[in-house]
């Protein structure tokens, strides 16, 4: 414990020495956001280092129209919707999967794609729609299960495929002058699958300093020290500081499964809008498992709720507290936007940890 | 949602499934995204699937960075 305390003190001092001008760092991943709050790291940052949260919570970036499609699918007779627990409370334009379940629709929580397929194997009279969300970390598991269903000819298993790809979204943020990022703390578990090379354009084309970091207090602080050093030296690159889990080449086998099942397609992100080739579209060979085609439902664009600033929050141009709805009108019991729903949403994290409390790193 | 938790492989049922433990909790996981896993391997598990084998070493870049941090903040420089 004291060792950790000493090391954190060293890192905090190094960060101070390295930050000699205002810098803006985005932590892309929701797990980092929560970890930074939980471990009280904000109090250790130099005043000139501004840390903003990014679009790295797959639940938060699921577009309103996508939730509406899931809600419509749940309303069809004979359909069972299976999805990850966090998705239930995400509001669509009119309802949520949670509401639909309360109204008697068959909506079930699963913890893996495998469980959703298991439901299909066991309940042949139901048509299962697995609402598949997640980034590169999660897409391989969906791909693997689709290949299983295809091989075993499970005809009552379908997927509402909402998977999204992180690098195109980072490109959208990097090229947005309003956001003006100096550095990115890259998502650790997305990088486990992707490796490092898909991020190369960030330092090369946009001069953005990057580090892939783990999730412990020390690892996050190290990531910040690394990007601060790159900025000070004027040599942005992609540093790998999560060597236990992230190989330079990522997990090529998992990626090969994803490539067999999906091809790049456009996707709509809550708050960021449509980003070209930022989604994973099912390949033609597996189109019989596409829930939208099978049940003739389409994803429509709908305006966000009045006053909701999730778009600005997800792009790091507004802090959750600056949203006029934060706290009174939007809170974890009555979420208006998705950033307040998921445990990893930045609004939920700000709300949960807003009481402040003791600074854990003070002597 | 992108959480991934280290698990140790206890038993391999076939080329797709294994029993794994995280602390006292034992669960069945899928192992087909990481070829060649063996009993005793520690893997990161996300949404019920192992996504990578964990190594013991932190990697060179971390070691080098730590050295620099110590040099910068530990001695001198103040
Ligand atoms: S406080 Fe609520 S409405 Fe405002 S940005 Fe956050 S989730 Fe959206």
């Amino acid at each position: 414990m004291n060792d950790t305390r000493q090391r954190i003190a060293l890192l905090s001092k190094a960060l101070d020495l390295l930050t000699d001008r205002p810098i803006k760092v985005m932590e892309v991943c929701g797990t980092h956001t929560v970890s930074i709050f939980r471990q009280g790291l904000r109090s250790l940052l130099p005043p000139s280092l501004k840390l903003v949260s990014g679009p790295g919570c797959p639940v938060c970036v699921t577009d309103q129209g996508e939730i509406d499609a899931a809600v419509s699918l749940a309303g069809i007779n004979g359909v069972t919707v299976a999805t990850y627990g966090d998705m239930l409370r995400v509001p669509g334009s009119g309802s949520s999967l949670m509401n639909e379940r309360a109204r008697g629709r068959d909506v079930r929580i699963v913890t893996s794609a495998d469980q959703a397929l298991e439901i299909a194997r066991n309940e042949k009279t139901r048509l299962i729609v697995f609402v598949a969300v997640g980034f590169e970390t999660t897409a391989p598991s969906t791909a693997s299960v689709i290949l299983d269903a295809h091989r075993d000819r499970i005809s009552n298993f379908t997927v509402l495929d909402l998977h999204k790809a992180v690098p195109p979204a980072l490109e959208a943020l990097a090229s947005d002058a309003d956001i003006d990022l100096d550095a990115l703390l890259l998502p650790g578990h997305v990088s486990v699958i992707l490796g490092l090379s898909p991020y190369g354009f960030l330092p090369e084309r946009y001069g953005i300093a990057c580090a892939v970091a783990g999730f412990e207090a020390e690892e996050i602080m190290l990531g910040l020290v690394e990007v601060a050093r790159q900025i000070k030296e004027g040599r942005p690159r992609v540093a790998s500081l999560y060597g236990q889990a992230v190989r330079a080449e990522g997990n090529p086998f998992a990626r090969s499964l994803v490539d067999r099942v999906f091809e790049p397609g456009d996707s709509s992100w809550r708050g960021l809008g449509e980003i070209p080739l930022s989604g994973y579209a099912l390949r033609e060979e597996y189109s019989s498992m596409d829930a939208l085609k099978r049940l003739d439902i389409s994803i429509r664009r709908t305006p966000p709720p009045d006053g909701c600033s999730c778009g600005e929050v997800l792009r790091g141009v507004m802090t959750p507290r600056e949203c006029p709805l934060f706290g009174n009108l939007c809170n974890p019991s009555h979420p208006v936007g998705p950033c307040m729903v998921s445990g990893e949403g930045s609004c939920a994290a700000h709300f949960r940890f807003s009481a402040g409390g003791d600074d854990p790193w003070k002597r | 949602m992108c959480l991934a938790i280290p698990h140790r492989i206890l038993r391999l049922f076939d080329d797709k499934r294994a029993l794994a433990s995280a602390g006292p909790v034992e669960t069945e996981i899928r192992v087909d995204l990481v070829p060649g896993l063996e009993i005793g391997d520690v893997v990161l598990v996300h949404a019920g699937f192992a996504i990578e084998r964990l190594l013991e070493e932190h990697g060179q870049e971390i070691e080098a960075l730590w050295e620099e941090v110590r040099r910068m903040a530990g001695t001198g420089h103040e």
Side-chain angles (χ1 to χ4, degrees):
Chain A
M1 171 68 203
N2 274 336
D3 271 6
T4 308
R5 198 170 274 266
Q6 266 171 16
R7 286 198 297 267
I8 293 285
L10 272 184
L11 288 165
S12 158
K13 193 166 153 197
L15 191 56
D16 232 16
L17 291 168
L18 286 167
T19 317
D20 50 11
R21 66 166 177 96
I23 59 176
K24 188 168 174 188
V25 186
M26 174 180 278
E27 92 269 1
V28 175
C29 169
T31 315
H32 275 144
T33 305
V34 171
S35 207
I36 287 164
F37 272 108
R38 179 169 294 138
Q39 316 203 53
L41 298 185
R42 278 176 183 268
S43 66
L44 299 177
L45 305 181
S48 50
L49 189 152
K50 185 167 182 203
L51 194 58
V52 297
S53 306
C57 156
V59 174
C60 304
V61 297
T62 301
D63 208 13
Q64 191 166 272
E66 295 177 328
I67 299 291
D68 290 343
V71 163
S72 303
L73 289 163
I76 298 173
N77 270 340
V79 165
T80 294
V81 165
T83 192
Y84 301 109
D86 272 356
M87 289 296 288
L88 261 65
R89 293 174 59 231
V90 180
S93 59
S95 181
S96 65
L97 287 172
M98 182 82 109
N99 282 340
E100 294 307 298
R101 189 163 75 162
R103 291 176 48 197
R105 306 300 191 189
D106 190 9
V107 177
R108 303 191 205 172
I109 294 177
V110 292
T111 55
S112 76
D114 195 47
Q115 283 179 359
L117 181 58
E118 211 46 40
I119 299 175
R121 289 187 200 272
N122 293 332
E123 301 182 35
K124 290 274 185 259
T125 58
R126 308 285 305 170
L127 182 66
I128 311 306
V129 175
F130 173 51
V131 180
V133 289
F135 298 135
E136 284 82 354
T137 328
T138 325
S141 65
T142 305
S144 176
V145 162
I146 287 174
L147 291 169
D148 286 353
H150 188 70
R151 184 201 55 213
D152 297 344
R153 298 174 196 280
I154 314 282
S155 58
N156 63 328
F157 179 74
T158 66
V159 174
L160 172 60
D161 161 28
L162 306 178
H163 283 301
K164 294 185 178 9
V166 168
L170 296 183
E171 172 127 47
L173 295 172
S175 58
D176 186 333
D178 281 354
I179 307 177
D180 196 19
L181 285 177
D182 298 295
L184 286 163
L185 220 46
L186 295 170
H189 295 137
V190 166
S191 309
V192 165
I193 303 296
L194 280 184
L196 304 177
S197 60
Y199 304 117
F201 70 93
L202 290 161
E204 283 156 26
R205 248 183 285 148
Y206 298 99
I208 293 180
C210 295
V212 177
F215 299 92
E216 299 299 326
E218 257 179 72
E219 295 176 310
I220 293 171
M221 288 296 284
L222 261 179
L224 293 173
V225 167
E226 169 63 31
V227 292
R229 181 174 72 153
Q230 290 180 26
I231 291 168
K232 190 173 170 111
E233 292 174 353
R235 274 188 290 188
R237 63 189 191 99
V238 180
S240 169
L241 303 175
Y242 193 25
Q244 283 179 299
V246 176
R247 322 277 188 269
E249 71 284 7
N251 180 339
F253 183 74
R255 286 203 309 274
S256 73
L257 296 185
V258 171
D259 286 346
R260 266 170 73 187
V261 172
F262 299 109
E263 58 194 349
D266 300 343
S267 180
S268 208
W269 295 56
R270 180 126 23 175
L272 305 179
E274 177 122 339
I275 302 176
L277 304 183
S278 68
Y280 291 92
L282 273 172
R283 288 188 186 276
E284 188 54 37
E285 196 182 344
Y286 305 101
S287 61
S288 64
M289 274 185 254
D290 183 337
L292 293 174
K293 282 192 186 147
R294 184 98 160 242
L295 293 160
D296 197 22
I297 298 281
S298 55
I299 294 180
R300 273 189 238 134
R301 310 269 336 241
T302 49
D306 275 351
C308 173
S309 312
C310 285
E312 284 70 20
V313 169
L314 289 164
R315 288 160 60 231
V317 292
M318 203 187 224
T319 66
R321 263 159 223 290
E322 286 164 355
C323 172
L325 306 186
F326 182 87
N328 288 334
L329 292 170
C330 179
N331 55 59
S333 331
H334 298 281
V336 174
C339 304
M340 194 55 96
V341 175
S342 157
E344 288 155 40
S346 32
C347 296
H350 276 257
F351 190 89
R352 244 188 313 157
F353 296 99
S354 59
D358 287 342
D359 175 354
W361 303 106
K362 267 206 194 113
R363 278 157 211 282
Chain B
M1 168 85 219
C2 276
L3 267 186
I5 304 196
H7 282 65
R8 186 177 297 276
I9 309 255
L10 302 175
R11 189 137 54 100
L12 288 161
F13 297 122
D14 52 39
D15 54 356
K16 290 208 164 172
R17 284 167 206 281
L19 184 70
S21 66
V25 186
E26 293 184 6
T27 25
E28 198 179 307
I29 59 165
R30 291 271 300 242
V31 289
D32 47 310
L33 300 179
V34 188
L37 286 177
E38 290 173 11
I39 291 171
D41 280 348
V42 179
V43 289
L44 269 181
V45 175
H46 166 73
F49 282 70
I51 55 169
E52 189 54 282
R53 189 185 287 107
L54 280 179
L55 302 176
E56 295 206 0
E57 324 75 80
H58 287 277
Q60 275 179 352
E61 288 200 51
I62 274 218
E63 303 302 335
L65 183 57
W66 260 120
E67 243 171 64
E68 185 155 345
V69 167
R70 291 210 176 82
R71 192 169 46 76
M72 216 184 332
T75 49
H77 242 99
E78 243 200 338

